[in-house]
Amino acid sequence: MIIKLFDSELKVMEVLWEYGDTTAKRIAEILKEQVGWSKTTTYTVIKKCIEKGAIERKDPNYICRPLITKEQVQEFETSELINKMYDGAADQLVASLLDRRKLSSQEIERLKKLINDLE
Amino acid sequence: MWQVVAVKILQTSLSAALIILIVLTIRLLTINRLPKKTFVILWNIVLCRLLIPFNIPLSLNKYSIFNGGEYGLPQVKHTVQIVPNTFIHYIADPKPPAGAATGGVPEISSNPIDVMSFLPDRPFVTIIWLSVAIIIALFFLITHLRCLREYKAALPIADYYQFQGLTAYPARKTVQIKQLDTISVPLTYGIRKPVILIPKIINCTEEWRLKYIIFHELIHIKHYDVLKKLLLAAALCIHWFNPMVWVMYILANRDIELACDEAVVRAFGQTSRTPYALALINMEKVKAGLLPLCSGFNKKGAEKRIISIMKAKEPALLTRVLSLALVFIMMFASAASHVEAKTEPKEKELFRIALGDDVNKYTGSINRVDEESGKVITRDYSIRIETTIFTDHNVYAIVAVEGDLPEEFNMSGRIVDPKDTPNIPRWEYMLFGSMEEIGLKDGIRYFFCSAVITHVTVTPEDIDEEFIKAHTSPDSDWLENDSLKDCEGKVLEFTLEINGNKHVLSTAIARVFTGSPDNYPEKHFLFSDQIS
């Protein structure tokens, strides 16, 4: 079985591969130190991993056990992702470099030409 | 409460729409000539106008400032009869003798009153406005929170050190730079603790491009653009019914980007225009590659942006001065729109509640009462005559009351000649009429007194039921040849008896509204139902 994971989810998996079965609380502590995530962020990512079937959750104490090995994981190919969410409902409250608009490659060529002309 | 808010917002929206229109025109004419910063500042001015509530009565007469207070009113109408009365009579007998025809003694009737009856009764509109505002706000909020959850899972960039030099430059605070694989364009979030997210797909080794990208985001942070966008969204939620605000929302967001581009080009120098524009295009290429289903539907925006960057130049002194002047003019215009909007003076507005649109014909005849004699202040309450209108036969007055007024009090009115000796009452007219509470505003209760004059050639003892009938019936012709016009300079005097204390309020008769001197049109008795 091959599961596609985002970077954030991989980060959680890496912790599990290294430490074995770990409580969610402990994962959050480790990741806070490593990448500065808040507890909530870590829990959200763990939940996604559980949904994808990469992690099994056991009570008590929300112990997480990896269901897949490092070899079974494939990084999400960026082309597939980016991310319906961002194109559909653009986050209006965030300053972004470009508006989330799409241009065709002809369009881009045309704009490049425009730059040359204006130069 | 919400209705009041809605009304205020409608007023704000209307005057802001005008300012937006002006900004739009300026923008259309000078977009590539003035520094883009100018437009961002202009939008900020509009934004202030849209979001800061101004407590100023605006021109929409029907939506009076008194809407607000109405909700504070006890749902009771006080009707106080003004009956002919004299000083002497009060001493002799606190109950005026001649009240029989008008229902006996001065009385207070308490009737439930629909406080909104003279106001726009449109709670429905308010509900719609509020619902849509909440829906739009929720849309923004939910989208943002969902995205935020995603952003929070961003990872630190491995070779972070290479950004250190850059981050130090324009921002006002420490900025984190992180990498995220689920976004396609760089972005910044957070107002207090800003974070720049770099998409994983951007090749971090291409330093020349990263330099521009990060600098661009740093400028956003420096300009508090996240906050601006937040406020723009807030304005959109509140003023969603105003198409001009939607136009502003789109253009202001665009101008924020243009101003940011401008700042980047300025910082890196004119030679950076081409590489910077190319960096933007390359971003687009990455995206285009990612998203095979392309639509050229926004290409105009991208093109405009490229043109704007390529045409960017160091503004000449004249341009700077010009745009500065423009900003100041617009600031004043925006401030002035508050003042301008206040076309109806408070006095007229008060009378409008009582008289409806009839007030328009009295516009030139509304007296503001400033005299000291027009007010009385005690420990418990203060009462003053706020404003008056005199017509040939009618006296209209608004009395303002602050403090605790008892449920019952007596009031009488007459017109006296100040030249008379005070001890010998030889007034010329007495007043018949009624008094009604019309509004509450800022803790002040407003009463509307409406009375018709009656010719007096008698002593108070003569005033009996028959007398009143004879003088107030529509058939009576005693009024035909009388007009308050002849009384200008004389004094309107109200006598109030409250908790056994007597107060006399007086004000000069002035600016009498008169019809033809021979054929006075004023023959309507506002209170005729009560008398007949």
Side-chain angles (χ1 to χ4, degrees):
Chain A
M1 183 182 64
I2 286 174
I3 293 175
K4 290 176 179 177
L5 295 177
F6 287 122
D7 280 1
S8 53
E9 293 147 5
L10 270 176
K11 204 78 203 170
V12 170
M13 296 311 293
E14 275 166 18
V15 172
L16 290 178
W17 292 326
E18 194 181 330
Y19 294 84
D21 295 7
T22 315
T23 63
K25 194 174 164 227
R26 179 77 190 119
I27 298 175
E29 280 166 15
I30 294 167
L31 286 177
K32 184 166 180 64
E33 204 167 296
Q34 273 187 16
V35 293
W37 285 356
S38 72
K39 208 155 88 180
T40 342
T41 303
T42 308
Y43 286 1
T44 315
V45 178
I46 291 174
K47 245 182 238 159
K48 273 192 203 154
C49 292
I50 293 172
E51 278 166 28
K52 287 185 176 178
I55 291 178
E56 184 186 41
R57 174 196 152 172
K58 284 194 296 188
D59 284 319
N61 294 334
Y62 214 120
I63 295 168
C64 299
R65 191 167 70 87
L67 292 175
I68 48 170
T69 63
K70 215 169 185 167
E71 290 70 37
Q72 284 174 298
V73 169
Q74 184 190 343
E75 267 189 61
F76 241 125
E77 274 172 47
T78 18
S79 56
E80 278 181 51
L81 63 98
I82 294 195
N83 180 333
K84 273 132 214 150
M85 189 166 107
Y86 291 91
D87 295 309
D91 184 356
Q92 304 287 350
L93 303 184
V94 165
S96 80
L97 176 62
L98 287 162
D99 301 338
R100 292 166 214 281
R101 53 175 71 106
K102 308 157 207 169
L103 297 176
S104 67
S105 35
Q106 296 107 306
E107 211 32 67
I108 287 168
E109 283 312 310
R110 202 179 62 78
L111 288 174
K112 275 190 175 166
K113 200 169 157 288
L114 183 71
I115 294 174
N116 284 328
D117 293 347
L118 287 168
E119 206 171 350
Chain B
M1 198 308 245
W2 282 111
Q3 187 142 8
V4 185
V5 175
V7 163
K8 214 162 232 167
I9 280 164
L10 182 65
Q11 295 165 341
T12 312
S13 218
L14 285 177
S15 48
L18 189 73
I19 305 170
I20 295 174
L21 210 64
I22 297 170
V23 176
L24 272 182
T25 319
I26 296 170
R27 191 182 182 278
L28 198 71
L29 294 173
T30 61
I31 180 72
N32 277 327
R33 297 204 189 107
L34 291 183
K36 304 293 180 300
K37 211 162 56 176
T38 318
F39 302 108
V40 176
I41 297 172
L42 292 183
W43 292 129
N44 288 346
I45 294 171
V46 180
L47 208 51
C48 288
R49 182 75 187 86
L50 282 169
L51 291 177
I52 300 171
F54 287 92
N55 200 14
I56 290 173
L58 295 173
S59 60
L60 295 170
N61 302 328
K62 287 189 178 163
Y63 301 99
S64 109
I65 47 166
F66 290 91
N67 292 11
E70 285 323 309
Y71 286 89
L73 256 189
Q75 307 254 316
V76 162
K77 176 169 77 176
H78 299 276
T79 307
V80 183
Q81 303 284 359
I82 303 178
V83 297
N85 204 336
T86 70
F87 196 82
I88 299 156
H89 259 109
Y90 255 112
I91 294 170
D93 178 4
K95 304 217 170 194
T102 59
V105 294
E107 65 174 27
I108 295 165
S109 63
S110 296
N111 306 315
I113 173 178
D114 178 10
V115 291
M116 297 304 292
S117 61
F118 47 82
L119 299 167
D121 184 17
R122 296 175 190 153
F124 192 61
V125 173
T126 309
I127 290 166
I128 292 177
W129 166 71
L130 196 60
S131 318
V132 177
I134 289 172
I135 288 168
I136 299 174
L138 279 178
F139 164 76
F140 276 117
L141 200 68
I142 290 169
T143 317
H144 185 55
L145 288 179
R146 269 174 58 192
C147 290
L148 211 58
R149 214 165 52 189
E150 199 87 19
Y151 301 154
K152 288 248 165 104
L155 297 168
I157 292 178
D159 42 359
Y160 182 70
Y161 68 92
Q162 70 173 34
F163 301 115
Q164 294 295 333
L166 276 172
T167 50
Y169 183 53
R172 290 175 183 158
K173 46 195 123 195
T174 10
V175 177
Q176 290 184 64
I177 300 179
K178 290 182 172 180
Q179 192 176 47
L180 189 60
D181 56 345
T182 55
I183 54 172
S184 59
V185 289
L187 55 86
T188 301
Y189 74 89
I191 296 166
R192 268 186 335 120
K193 289 191 215 154
V195 180
I196 296 174
L197 295 182
I198 308 287
K200 201 185 179 189
I201 44 169
I202 289 182
N203 189 346
C204 282
T205 57
E206 280 188 66
E207 208 185 315
W208 68 272
R209 202 197 303 166
L210 265 180
K211 183 177 73 176
Y212 291 122
I213 288 169
I214 290 177
F215 200 85
H216 178 103
E217 298 299 334
L218 286 172
I219 299 272
H220 274 317
I221 292 166
K222 190 186 170 196
H223 291 170
Y224 289 98
D225 286 340
V226 178
L227 182 66
K228 278 179 206 161
K229 289 189 175 202
L230 182 75
L231 294 177
L232 280 169
L236 191 70
C237 293
I238 295 169
H239 300 275
W240 59 265
F241 53 86
N242 187 340
M244 295 312 288
V245 174
W246 287 85
V247 172
M248 177 190 90
Y249 179 78
I250 294 164
L251 290 182
N253 269 305
R254 196 174 287 171
D255 287 347
I256 286 173
E257 291 303 322
L258 294 182
C260 195
D261 291 339
E262 188 183 66
V264 174
V265 171
R266 192 170 296 171
F268 286 101
Q270 293 290 297
T271 47
S272 66
R273 290 187 305 190
T274 310
Y276 179 57
L278 285 172
L280 290 185
I281 298 286
N282 277 335
M283 293 291 315
E284 290 288 355
K285 196 154 86 186
V286 175
K287 271 165 66 190
L290 290 169
L291 303 151
L293 289 170
C294 293
S295 72
F297 125 89
N298 251 326
K299 62 188 174 193
K300 215 134 189 180
E303 186 181 320
K304 286 220 169 102
R305 204 164 152 198
I306 299 290
I307 293 172
S308 157
I309 292 168
M310 296 309 292
K311 283 191 174 171
K313 51 176 181 269
E314 199 60 24
L317 184 67
L318 184 69
T319 321
R320 284 175 200 235
V321 171
L322 212 77
S323 53
L324 200 68
L326 200 60
V327 166
F328 274 108
I329 291 168
M330 286 308 293
M331 261 154 102
F332 280 114
S334 169
S337 76
H338 304 302
V339 184
E340 249 173 56
K342 188 193 174 182
T343 53
E344 183 150 292
K346 184 182 171 196
E347 288 77 26
K348 189 169 178 187
E349 204 167 341
L350 284 161
F351 273 122
R352 183 176 294 280
I353 295 171
L355 298 171
D357 285 342
D358 273 359
V359 75
N360 293 332
K361 68 178 173 189
Y362 301 128
T363 302
S365 303
I366 298 172
N367 302 296
R368 222 181 97 184
V369 179
D370 296 321
E371 298 126 298
E372 275 307 307
S373 61
K375 53 187 93 155
V376 57
I377 298 170
T378 73
R379 216 181 43 188
D380 297 327
Y381 49 81
S382 75
I383 303 169
R384 66 173 191 277
I385 306 173
E386 182 89 20
T387 171
T388 54
I389 296 177
F390 300 100
T391 69
D392 286 321
H393 301 144
N394 286 308
V395 172
Y396 304 123
I398 304 282
V399 175
V401 177
E402 261 178 289
D404 296 329
L405 204 62
E407 277 286 299
E408 295 201 14
F409 58 91
N410 295 342
M411 180 158 165
S412 62
R414 59 179 187 166
I415 284 162
V416 294
D417 191 335
K419 278 173 277 184
D420 280 351
T421 328
N423 292 331
I424 310 162
R426 284 205 296 116
W427 61 91
E428 290 170 40
Y429 292 110
M430 293 188 298
L431 303 173
F432 291 88
S434 65
M435 180 161 157
E436 187 185 332
E437 186 160 0
I438 54 163
L440 175 72
K441 169 88 180 160
D442 298 336
I444 303 172
R445 293 163 70 186
Y446 291 94
F447 293 85
F448 172 63
C449 308
S450 153
V452 66
I453 54 168
T454 177
H455 198 223
V456 175
T457 51
V458 288
T459 57
E461 287 75 16
D462 294 329
I463 305 168
D464 55 15
E465 193 174 337
E466 230 164 87
F467 175 89
I468 291 169
K469 247 186 201 153
H471 287 79
T472 57
S473 94
D475 305 328
S476 153
D477 64 349
W478 64 272
L479 275 170
E480 288 293 336
N481 302 313
D482 284 330
S483 168
L484 277 176
K485 191 77 189 163
D486 307 326
C487 294
E488 283 189 348
K490 291 178 184 170
V491 169
L492 165 70
E493 193 179 280
F494 285 134
T495 306
L496 285 102
E497 195 194 67
I498 299 167
N499 290 345
N501 299 317
K502 187 145 32 184
H503 308 292
V504 178
L505 305 174
S506 64
T507 176
I509 295 169
R511 296 204 281 181
V512 175
F513 176 87
T514 184
S516 141
D518 294 314
N519 187 19
Y520 298 116
E522 292 292 317
K523 269 203 86 177
H524 64 282
F525 297 88
L526 266 175
F527 52 99
S528 54
D529 337 335
Q530 287 163 0
I531 291 166
S532 54

